[in-house]
């Protein structure tokens, strides 16, 4: 089994096929791992990386970057050709507005992200968008409507195999921050529910990510710094007690966790 931890916001535990019975082995050994920068040469000069993910076939690498003043967020993509990564270019769903928090569905045929692009909304806030592969091409991104959260910031969508969409939401002042989940079907969400853990009842939770097999949920807690936690599925939208990732990983504030397929 092989696994790799990536610097700052990107965590990869890469397991070879046919070893699902050992899926927790990388987590057990994580204390021995020192995070390393992942291809820093792909980061444009003067930019900060906030999130990095791979396409499900691992041939494309998407990164969210911003300027140092955090006023403009863009999503770039690099292609792997003959074992080398190309210089990043704008992703197909990037826009002149801010764009962030992308993730693929477990089957790789849907892409979810957050954006402040105008879409008939009266408030310029972060909202969820999605695109799907139709006839071999990505569709034009569409707003995911959440009637109870039209005036909230909604970010970091991640889809579980059963069709549940997890995401971060807060009011415009970033208070009431938490992780929510709802069934996603035909471009619409059911009424969201808030995810709560007794062990972290005094903490705000953010930046969720569900593994492609639905077995693990990763997220960050908000405090003097962001700290990464994970928990294991115990049933439909039910999770074990959260476990904080080791000190070697939780340094200087960690968010936006991600697990390769």
């Amino acid at each position: 089994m092989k696994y790799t931890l990536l610097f700052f916001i990107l965590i990869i535990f890469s397991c070879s096929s046919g070893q699902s019975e050992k899926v927790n082995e990388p987590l057990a050994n994580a204390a021995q791992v020192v995070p390393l920068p992942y291809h820093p040469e792909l980061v444009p000069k003067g930019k900060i990386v906030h999130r990095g993910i791979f396409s499900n076939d691992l041939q494309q690498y998407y990164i969210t970057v911003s300027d140092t003043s955090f006023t403009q967020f863009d999503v770039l993509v690099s292609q792997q050709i003959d074992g080398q990564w190309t210089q990043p270019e704008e992703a197909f769903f990037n826009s002149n507005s801010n764009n962030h928090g992308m993730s693929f569905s477990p089957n790789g045929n849907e892409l979810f992200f957050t954006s402040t692009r105008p879409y008939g909304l009266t408030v310029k806030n972060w909202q969820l968008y999605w695109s799907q592969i139709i006839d071999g091409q990505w569709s034009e991104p569409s707003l995911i409507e959440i009637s109870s959260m039209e005036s909230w910031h909604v970010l970091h969508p991640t889809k579980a195999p059963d069709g549940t969409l997890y995401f971060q939401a807060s009011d415009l002042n970033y208070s009431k921050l938490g992780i929510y989940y709802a069934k996603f079907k035909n471009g619409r969400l059911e009424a969201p529910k808030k995810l709560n853990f007794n062990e972290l009842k005094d903490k705000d939770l953010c930046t969720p990510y569900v593994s492609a097999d639905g077995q693990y949920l990763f997220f960050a807690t908000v405090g003097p710094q962001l700290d990464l936690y994970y928990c294991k599925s115990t049933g439909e939208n039910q999770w074990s007690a959260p476990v904080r990732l080791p000190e070697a990983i939780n340094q200087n504030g960690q968010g936006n966790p991600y697990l390769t397929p």
Side-chain angles (χ1 to χ4, degrees):
M1 180 169 294
K2 182 180 180 181
Y3 56 97
T4 307
L5 288 167
L6 271 69
F7 174 68
F8 184 41
I9 55 173
L10 178 62
I11 298 178
I12 296 179
F13 299 109
S14 179
C15 305
S16 59
S17 61
Q19 293 186 319
S20 59
E21 72 278 4
K22 296 184 180 180
V23 69
N24 63 341
E25 184 177 325
L27 303 177
N29 293 339
Q32 305 170 27
V33 173
V34 177
L36 299 172
Y38 185 73
H39 286 291
E41 75 278 3
L42 297 180
V43 182
K45 187 176 181 179
K47 298 292 185 179
I48 298 173
V49 179
H50 296 268
R51 181 171 179 78
I53 70 166
F54 291 93
S55 58
N56 288 35
D57 61 6
L58 307 181
Q59 297 304 298
Q60 295 177 314
Y61 180 52
Y62 293 80
I63 56 174
T64 298
V65 298
S66 79
D67 52 20
T68 56
S69 61
F70 306 103
T71 56
Q72 179 64 42
F73 292 79
D74 292 292
V75 179
L76 310 178
V77 60
S78 176
Q79 313 279 343
Q80 186 167 206
I81 300 176
D82 297 328
Q84 300 293 322
W85 290 105
T86 62
Q87 283 301 306
E89 299 178 346
E90 283 194 31
F92 76 90
F93 58 91
N94 197 57
S95 69
N96 292 330
S97 301
N98 287 301
N99 305 275
H100 198 343
M102 58 286 175
S103 68
F104 287 92
S105 62
N107 64 12
N109 292 329
E110 298 167 322
L111 187 143
F112 300 88
F113 66 99
T114 52
S115 180
T116 59
R117 67 189 65 195
Y119 203 96
L121 302 174
T122 57
V123 181
K124 189 178 180 181
N125 54 331
W126 291 100
Q127 286 289 310
L128 303 185
Y129 289 80
W130 76 304
S131 179
Q132 58 184 323
I133 293 179
I134 299 176
D135 297 329
Q137 300 292 326
W138 286 106
S139 65
E140 189 70 21
S142 298
L143 175 72
I144 299 175
E145 296 184 23
I146 313 174
S147 59
S148 59
M149 294 181 173
E150 289 180 346
S151 61
W152 286 42
H153 288 306
V154 190
L155 302 98
H156 302 291
T158 174
K159 189 180 181 183
D162 67 356
T164 301
L165 199 67
Y166 286 77
F167 53 90
Q168 166 191 323
S170 71
D171 64 14
L172 297 182
N173 294 321
Y174 292 98
S175 61
K176 302 179 182 178
L177 178 64
I179 294 173
Y180 293 77
Y181 64 93
K183 286 288 187 181
F184 179 79
K185 187 176 182 179
N186 298 325
R188 301 189 66 85
L189 281 179
E190 298 177 351
K193 298 178 181 178
K194 190 174 183 180
L195 182 66
N196 294 300
F197 294 103
N198 291 332
E199 299 83 359
L200 300 172
K201 61 183 179 181
D202 297 324
K203 294 279 191 179
D204 289 334
L205 311 182
C206 63
T207 64
Y209 188 81
V210 179
S211 60
D213 61 5
Q215 292 302 300
Y216 287 95
L217 169 66
F218 289 80
F219 60 89
T221 58
V222 181
Q225 67 171 31
L226 294 179
D227 288 318
L228 289 176
Y229 284 75
Y230 77 92
C231 48
K232 189 172 182 180
S233 175
T234 59
E236 186 176 3
N237 300 316
Q238 300 295 316
W239 303 94
S240 65
V243 177
R244 186 178 181 273
L245 285 168
E247 289 295 334
I249 298 171
N250 275 308
Q251 298 182 44
N252 303 319
Q254 312 300 309
N256 289 293
Y258 164 72
L259 204 69
T260 64

